[in-house]
Amino acid sequence: MPIPLLDRYTDDDLFPLLHGVMFGWALLVFFPRWRQTPNLVLFISCIYALLYVLLVTGMTIKENAVPEGAGFGTLEEVALLFSFKPAVFAG
């Protein structure tokens, strides 16, 4: 599914970038007192927050972007939601 504002990329293209969060964790674990650690971790967090907002916005704006009956009200609705690959990527 194309990402809004990033139409050239799909969730499959961006999935490998999610491993970049490990860099932030490594900084927190191995260099917690380095003065640049908070700045870098905040930057990484903001990038992931922006990506998440774009994904959720894209799924809510587009028609038929989420399977019929999917949602967060019951366990069945959540299971149906997470059977949809873009929702798994976002969540």
Side-chain angles (χ1 to χ4, degrees), residues 1 6 9 11 18 24 30 34-35 37 50 70 79 89 91:
M1 176 174 152
L6 298 173
Y9 302 103
D11 45 4
L18 293 181
F30 297 112
W34 183 45
R35 60 181 200 157
T37 295
L50 177 64
F89 179 70

Side-chain angles (χ1 to χ4, degrees), residues 23-58:
F23 178 69
W25 280 110
L27 286 172
L28 289 170
V29 170
F30 297 112
F31 303 104
R33 298 196 176 158
W34 183 45
R35 60 181 200 157
Q36 295 303 322
T37 295
N39 295 333
L40 291 171
V41 171
L42 179 62
F43 176 74
I44 292 168
S45 300
C46 288
I47 295 297
Y48 284 107
L50 177 64
L51 180 60
Y52 181 75
V53 167
L54 290 174
L55 288 168
V56 171
T57 302

